[in-house]
Amino acid sequence: SCSSSPDGTPQRDEHGRIIQVYTNDDIMSFSRAWTGFQAHKRRGNYENEESSTRHRNLLDPLYIEESWRDRFPKHDLTGGYIGDTYPLCVDMPGKAFLHKGAKYLLLGSNPLPELMVDHPDLQHGDLYLDIKRMVLDPSSNLYAELYNEGEYRAVVTLTENLYCAGNECDVDTVRVVQVATNPDIFYEYVPLPCVHQAFYEGGKQISRKDRDDEGVMCADPKLPAASAACGNQDIIASVKSRSEEH
């Protein structure tokens, strides 16, 4: 495939050679953008046809397995990089979860996010009370938007900037927020698209997500990214042990 001029004739470089739209290098770069995608496990409430794919969930969107993901930049076909038109994540405003355009997805009674990966045992708040939930203050504007007088919406997008209230003022960002109890109702925060730089100045070491893994990770101190620094560090093992007892 070659680049074309407005009149349809092939474009040529200064040596008279036809300019290709893309090369194998471009194909390899774009292919890395698709790494890490994984199908969700099978679930109920949909038909299951007998076929070679009967053991796969073909209904729900794929999720990204972070350990399989290629994290480095991917160039586009115009001499730049995919994501060049998006803002840098370090330039996003503080408490972006309260800003216009922030999106929230209804999770129902399950506190585990769908677009991020948390350990499945963290849903057992009834077995281990030290699990901390981000419970919104009923006086907050965000609570009013999500609770909506008990008429929960599947997707909520903020149409204006909101002031923080209660524990919202104490955090930089959120993952999942709880808006009701009996029954529990949770929403997952979906940040606006932005670009993380693969290389940056002033990186800091943080603990790995799984503390049994050796080594540390590098993080940008300008971003709200860090390992948990409070609470029971053995919470996963404790919850798992209690789950097995039940």
Side-chain angles (χ1 to χ4, degrees), residues 83 86-96 189 191-197 220 222-225:
Y86 289 92
L88 294 177
C89 295
V90 296
D91 294 333
M92 299 296 282
K95 299 189 185 301
Y189 165 56
L192 289 172
C194 62
V195 174
H196 288 275
Q197 292 179 306
D220 191 336
K222 298 178 182 178
L223 293 171

Side-chain angles (χ1 to χ4, degrees), residues 2-50:
C2 62
S3 299
S4 300
S5 300
D7 61 1
T9 58
Q11 291 184 339
R12 298 179 181 271
D13 61 19
E14 63 273 18
H15 302 292
R17 294 173 298 195
I18 294 178
I19 300 176
Q20 299 296 320
V21 174
Y22 58 87
T23 66
N24 284 339
D25 291 337
D26 298 311
I27 295 174
M28 292 179 63
S29 177
F30 275 86
S31 67
R32 290 197 295 270
W34 296 101
T35 55
F37 285 90
Q38 174 74 346
H40 284 276
K41 294 182 179 179
R42 291 179 57 195
R43 62 173 177 81
N45 201 32
Y46 74 95
E47 294 181 3
N48 180 28
E49 296 182 0
E50 290 294 331

Side-chain angles (χ1 to χ4, degrees), residues 165-180:
N167 52 9
E168 299 166 12
C169 301
D170 300 327
V171 298
D172 297 314
T173 189
V174 297
R175 294 166 63 86
V176 173
V177 297
Q178 183 173 355
V179 298

Side-chain angles (χ1 to χ4, degrees), residues 1 14 18 34 141 166 181 198 200 208 210 246:
S1 174
E14 63 273 18
I18 294 178
W34 296 101
N141 293 324
T181 57
Y200 43 84
R208 296 175 66 88
D210 189 339
H246 288 72

